[in-house]
């Protein structure tokens, strides 16, 4: 998220365990930057289907000299609209406040809808998203459930008079605009029509959810309202997402800490490690006591999890899967191993935090869906260490191993998962430049991760550059990738390199130039592989960081496509003013793409003038800016990206 205020001051990992990269091999990192690719020898390990996908021949894929990208890249934009390449068209659907079922309450342009209305309408600040074909098990590209996260809110837009008056009803509306939405859609030509449907559903900041896995029912998650420690109200700050092979959705909780406050003057170490401050972002604690972390010290321990739910069952109770560890989760991206055990990759998006992997102990059952119901409660959590020689290790975060013992503050696995950050500190994981989304190549299983930026790297008293985060003052970010040993996502060793360094080739500072082959961008965040092997990249350059680094050449936030083999990048879409492009998925036939536009107008809204910066998508007459989903198709009906 791009919320850079004083609340952000506790965003970095200032634990003092040394990284193993105190001595920087500048020559190695420089060489990596320039080469920017896995060698032909590594690619030659791939089977014939991989070679076909990557190169169209049995040759090593590195020999391919044509591009997977078929569209003409578009220029950067500084206008309040959406732009797509020639031959493409789009339509806006499912804006904040539109009903999730066709019989729900309509949006009111002055934002006067109640919290009861809001809990039947699309939330704010759309983020990670998936299309689930209907019925379950089909590959329909005409009918399905669109499921998405609503990360956070802009109170100046959500409430008619902003926060001038502050009431319990307004807190309730704030909570109702968070969470997840499910909408049943049917294709009609190039339009997608919201159905009246029991599937049309909202999870909010107060929907009851079950805690499961090692932390369920332990003392550290018990509260006055939930003495059993088994039922949590709500999911918050759902940024990126994941899915499972058994058709469930994973809503990941990112910056949960900002909703809490501790003014006691004596913040417990665990709250401090997760960044709880003396001021909350939205002042909920004034009307909803559980957000006061001094009075209710265990409530924050019930957030920061990966939440699984079944969108096909409107009655399903979401489950917080604590075995996957607690952090500011970005996506939880699955990769299925050769024996059907499943690995889930997740980044902890804060400066100097870590990349985690969870591997299920049992294989998933492709035939018996019910057998997979609690697969995510039983598995092994790892954290990544990127070594200077281009290899890496997954270090196990299991009680009793790698020093995670009672003497070191980890008396059981619950303590490990609740304080996953502390466990990762203890085992010497690599501190990264804000890991955002991970994406898995559909054939090679190579994993790519966006490292969005870290302007504090190398500052006085902070960790300096290392081979996997090779720039001090990393203003523009980079994309790193790895390949698991034997291409097996359950492996504990891997090789890695840097796919690309973002930047502006015309910048006078060599540290700011990067090495992008094609259209430039900065602050990569959203990342997704389509089935064709195209890598889609979405940017989150915040208004604040635009000013700090004066990087006007990048224009508004955008989405690009990269060919993972040639490294070529082309710009596919540019967003409206003050927005971020988030979430991307296509229908199974690859002919319809859905993307999200998050927080148009950010940095330019006030209760008196919510449209000061942007009035997208409804226009100057339409009222306040609204996050929304954009449906994109090729005018010739072809496959997106080709
Ligand atoms: Fe909500 Fe890390 O982006
Ligand atoms: Ca953001
Ligand atoms: Ca971001
Ligand atoms: Ca993000």
């Amino acid at each position: 998220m791009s919320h850079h205020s004083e609340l952000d001051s506790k965003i970095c990992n200032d634990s003092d365990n040394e990284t193993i990269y105190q001595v920087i091999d500048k020559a190695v990192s420089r060489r990596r930057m320039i080469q920017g690719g896995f060698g032909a020898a590594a690619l030659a390990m791939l089977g014939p289907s991989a070679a076909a996908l990557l190169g169209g021949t049995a040759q090593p894929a590195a020999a391919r000299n044509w591009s997977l990208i078929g569209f003409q890249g578009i220029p950067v934009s500084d206008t309040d609209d959406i732009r797509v390449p020639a031959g493409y068209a789009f339509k806006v659907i499912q804006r904040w406040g539109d009903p999730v079922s066709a019989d729900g309450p309509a949006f009111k342009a002055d934002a006067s809808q109640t919290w009861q209305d809001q809990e039947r309408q699309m939330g704010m600040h759309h983020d990670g998203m998936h299309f689930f074909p209907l019925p379950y098990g089909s590959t329909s590209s005409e009918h399905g459930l669109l499921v998405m996260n609503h990360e956070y809110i802009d109170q100046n837009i959500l409430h008619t008079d902003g926060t001038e008056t502050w009431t319990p009803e307004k807190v309730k509306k704030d909570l109702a605009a968070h969470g997840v939405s499910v909408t049943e859609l049917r294709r009609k030509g190039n339009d997608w029509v919201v159905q009246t449907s029991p599937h049309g559903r909202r999870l909010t900041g107060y929907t009851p959810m079950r805690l499961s896995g090692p932390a369920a029912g332990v003392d550290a998650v018990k509260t006055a309202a939930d003495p059993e420690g088994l039922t949590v109200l709500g999911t918050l700050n759902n940024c990126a997402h994941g899915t499972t092979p058994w058709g469930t959705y994973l809503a990941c909780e990112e910056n949960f800490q900002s909703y809490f406050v501790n003014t006691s003057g004596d913040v417990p170490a665990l709250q401090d490690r997760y960044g709880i401050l003396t001021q909350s972002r939205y002042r909920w604690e004034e009307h909803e006591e559980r957000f006061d972390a001094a009075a209710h010290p265990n409530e924050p321990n019930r957030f920061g999890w990966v939440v699984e739910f079944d969108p096909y069952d409107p009655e399903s109770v979401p489950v917080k899967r604590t075995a996957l560890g607690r952090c500011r989760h970005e996506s939880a991206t699955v990769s299925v191993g050769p024996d059907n055990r499943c690995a889930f990759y997740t980044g902890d998006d804060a400066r100097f935090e870590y990349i985690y992997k969870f591997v299920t102990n049992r294989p998933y059952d492709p035939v018996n869906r019910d057998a997979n119901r609690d697969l995510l409660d039983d598995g092994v959590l790892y954290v990544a260490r990127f070594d200077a020689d281009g290899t890496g290790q997954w270090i196990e975060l299991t009680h009793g191993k790698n020093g995670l013992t009672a003497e070191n503050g980890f008396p059981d696995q619950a303590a490990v998962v609740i304080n996953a950050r502390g466990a990762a500190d203890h085992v010497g994981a690599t501190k990264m430049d804000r890991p955002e989304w991970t994406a898995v190549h559909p054939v090679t299983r190579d994993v790519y991760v966006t490292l969005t930026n870290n302007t504090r790297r190398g500052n006085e008293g902070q960790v300096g550059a290392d081979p996997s985060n090779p720039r001090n003052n990393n203003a523009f970010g980079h994309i790193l990738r790895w390949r698991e040993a034997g291409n097996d996502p359950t492996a504990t060793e891997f090789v890695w390199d840097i796919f690309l360094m973002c930047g502006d080739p015309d910048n006078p500072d060599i540290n700011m130039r990067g090495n992008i082959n094609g259209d430039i961008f900065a602050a990569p965040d959203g990342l997704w592989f389509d089935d064709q092997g195209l890598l889609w990249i979405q940017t989150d350059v915040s208004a604040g960081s635009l000013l700090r680094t004066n990087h006007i050449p990048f224009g508004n936030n955008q989405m690009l496509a990269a060919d993972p083999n040639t490294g070529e990048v082309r710009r596919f879409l540019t967003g409206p003013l003050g927005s971020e492009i988030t979430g991307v998925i296509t229908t199974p036939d690859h002919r319809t793409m859905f993307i999200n536009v998050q927080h148009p107008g950010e940095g330019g809204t006030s209760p008196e003038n919510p449209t000061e910066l942007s009035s997208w998508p409804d226009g100057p007459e339409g009222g306040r800016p609204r996050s929304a989903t954009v449906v994109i198709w090729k005018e010739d009906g072809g496959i997106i990206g080709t």
Side-chain angles (χ1 to χ4, degrees):
M1 69 186 319
S2 53
H3 201 87
H4 290 282
S5 65
E6 62 277 18
L7 293 179
D8 233 9
S9 65
K10 194 65 181 71
I11 203 168
C12 55
N13 174 1
D14 48 13
S15 71
D16 59 13
N17 76 288
E18 301 277 296
T19 73
I20 62 166
Y21 301 119
Q22 291 301 301
V23 180
I24 303 159
D25 184 345
K26 286 208 172 85
V28 169
S29 59
R30 187 79 203 138
R31 204 159 56 239
R32 282 183 190 292
M33 276 180 64
I34 292 163
Q35 287 175 344
F38 286 117
L43 285 159
M45 302 185 322
L46 303 176
S49 64
L53 180 98
L54 291 167
T57 71
Q59 296 291 313
R64 174 162 64 76
N65 60 7
W66 51 271
S67 178
L68 280 175
I69 310 173
F71 61 87
Q72 208 62 45
I74 62 171
V76 296
S77 160
D78 60 359
T79 54
D80 195 28
D81 58 10
I82 294 276
R83 307 249 167 127
V84 292
Y88 286 81
F90 69 89
K91 182 172 191 297
V92 175
I93 62 167
Q94 291 308 84
R95 299 157 292 187
W96 157 60
D98 286 340
V100 292
S101 172
D103 57 354
F107 179 71
K108 291 178 179 154
D110 66 353
S112 62
Q113 59 265 45
T114 62
W115 65 263
Q116 293 94 336
D117 292 338
Q118 178 62 70
E119 67 177 13
R120 300 171 65 200
Q121 298 172 332
M122 296 293 287
M124 263 194 166
H125 289 11
H126 304 22
D127 211 297
M129 167 172 59
H130 193 72
F131 178 85
F132 291 88
L134 281 171
Y136 175 78
S138 83
T139 55
S140 176
S141 294
E142 313 286 322
H143 184 201
L145 301 173
L146 193 67
V147 183
M148 76 180 72
N149 291 340
H150 300 283
E151 186 185 13
Y152 64 111
I153 55 169
D154 183 333
Q155 292 171 315
N156 290 337
I157 301 176
L158 183 65
H159 304 294
T160 303
D161 63 345
T163 54
E164 199 69 31
T165 59
W166 195 230
T167 64
E169 289 69 31
K170 281 183 162 176
V171 172
K172 198 92 178 191
K173 189 174 175 185
D174 280 10
L175 285 157
H178 278 76
V180 182
S181 63
V182 184
T183 309
E184 181 179 342
L185 296 175
R186 266 186 199 277
R187 190 172 115 105
K188 211 171 188 182
N190 287 312
D191 198 3
W192 286 78
V193 181
V194 177
Q195 307 294 297
T196 296
S197 167
H199 291 296
R201 177 181 185 192
R202 288 294 320 287
L203 312 182
T204 69
Y206 47 82
T207 302
M209 319 200 157
R210 187 162 68 83
L211 270 174
S212 73
V218 303
D219 286 348
V221 298
K222 291 176 180 167
T223 63
D226 175 31
E228 304 285 305
L230 294 173
T231 307
V232 182
L233 295 184
T235 185
L236 292 170
N237 212 267
N238 305 96
C239 195
H241 74 299
T243 59
T244 65
W246 51 96
T248 60
Y249 184 85
L250 304 174
C252 305
E253 298 182 321
E254 194 191 12
N255 285 288
F256 68 91
Q257 81 292 341
S258 67
Y259 301 99
F260 294 92
V261 61
N262 191 327
T263 56
S264 67
D266 184 21
V267 178
L270 185 61
Q271 288 187 15
D272 186 58
R273 182 65 184 85
Y274 280 78
I276 288 168
L277 301 178
T278 55
Q279 189 192 340
S280 70
R281 180 185 292 175
Y282 298 128
R283 294 167 52 203
W284 291 348
E285 71 281 0
E286 294 175 23
H287 295 296
E288 186 109 14
E289 203 192 338
R290 65 184 168 122
F291 293 104
D292 179 343
H296 300 277
N298 289 342
E299 186 70 11
N301 296 342
R302 294 140 64 84
F303 292 85
W305 303 110
V306 171
V307 183
E308 181 181 23
F309 87 102
D310 180 0
Y312 289 100
D313 174 6
E315 304 297 323
S316 61
V317 174
V319 185
K320 297 200 176 193
R321 300 291 184 186
T322 66
L324 280 72
R326 177 167 168 265
C327 67
R328 299 185 198 169
H329 284 284
E330 278 285 337
S331 56
T333 306
V334 69
S335 185
V336 180
D339 62 357
N340 278 351
R341 282 185 297 149
C342 298
F344 293 84
Y345 300 101
T346 189
D348 181 353
D349 181 9
R351 299 179 185 95
F352 306 112
E353 291 297 344
Y354 306 115
I355 296 171
Y356 298 86
K357 173 168 86 168
F358 175 80
V359 179
T360 60
N361 280 340
R362 286 188 292 127
Y364 97 93
D365 185 334
V367 181
N368 179 5
R369 191 173 187 233
D370 277 350
N372 306 314
R373 192 176 296 274
D374 291 317
L375 221 52
L376 296 183
D377 287 342
D378 180 21
V380 180
L381 184 64
Y382 300 90
V383 67
R385 194 185 72 209
F386 296 86
D387 292 333
D389 62 358
T391 66
Q393 296 286 328
W394 289 109
I395 310 173
E396 190 170 337
L397 300 180
T398 298
H399 166 67
K401 294 191 179 173
N402 298 317
L404 300 174
T405 58
E407 303 76 68
N408 292 324
F410 301 97
D412 52 25
Q413 189 61 15
V416 172
V417 295
I418 291 171
N419 187 16
R421 283 181 164 186
D425 293 342
H426 191 82
V427 302
T430 303
K431 297 169 185 291
M432 310 301 289
D433 286 345
R434 295 189 52 202
E436 296 253 21
W437 293 47
T438 44
V440 176
H441 190 283
V443 174
T444 67
R445 297 193 182 116
D446 290 346
V447 189
Y448 288 61
V449 64
T450 46
L451 296 156
T452 199
N453 58 50
N454 183 355
T455 50
R456 293 193 194 157
R457 187 172 289 276
N459 284 3
E460 208 181 327
Q462 305 279 3
V463 173
D466 67 43
S468 56
N469 302 275
R471 286 191 288 199
N472 285 331
N473 184 27
N474 182 8
F476 297 146
H478 57 291
I479 299 177
L480 177 148
R481 62 183 171 183
W482 64 86
R483 174 170 298 171
E484 304 277 12
N487 292 73
D488 181 346
T490 69
T492 55
E493 296 179 333
F494 55 89
V495 294
W496 64 272
D497 75 354
I498 288 173
F499 178 55
L500 59 80
M501 306 289 300
C502 300
D504 169 12
D506 295 330
N507 196 302
D509 179 351
I510 191 170
N511 193 46
M512 301 285 186
R513 285 181 201 160
N515 64 356
I516 291 174
N517 167 18
D519 292 333
I520 63 169
F521 65 98
D525 185 340
L527 196 69
W528 178 68
F529 268 112
D530 68 24
D531 287 349
Q532 320 296 306
L534 260 189
L535 181 65
W536 296 89
I537 303 164
Q538 301 173 318
T539 71
D540 180 17
V541 179
S542 70
S545 93
L546 258 175
L547 293 174
R548 277 201 302 277
T549 53
N550 190 29
H551 47 277
I552 307 304
F554 301 109
N556 292 351
N557 278 312
Q558 56 199 263
M559 181 166 79
L560 311 97
D563 182 325
N565 183 45
T566 64
E568 188 196 359
V569 179
R570 284 189 214 166
R571 190 176 298 108
F572 180 78
L573 177 145
T574 55
L577 290 166
S579 75
E580 169 187 346
I581 308 303
T582 57
V584 51
I585 190 67
T586 64
T587 48
D589 66 2
H590 315 292
R591 291 167 204 276
T592 300
M593 174 178 269
F594 300 92
I595 64 108
N596 281 326
V597 173
Q598 188 188 64
H599 62 66
E602 183 182 68
T605 68
S606 60
E608 302 75 34
N609 189 4
T611 60
E612 189 177 340
L613 180 61
S614 170
S615 58
W616 191 88
D618 299 340
E621 307 304 312
R624 36 200 78 206
R626 299 163 75 185
S627 294
T629 302
V630 178
V631 183
I632 302 162
W633 64 93
K634 220 175 158 181
E635 284 165 331
D636 67 5
I639 288 172
I640 306 283
T642 60

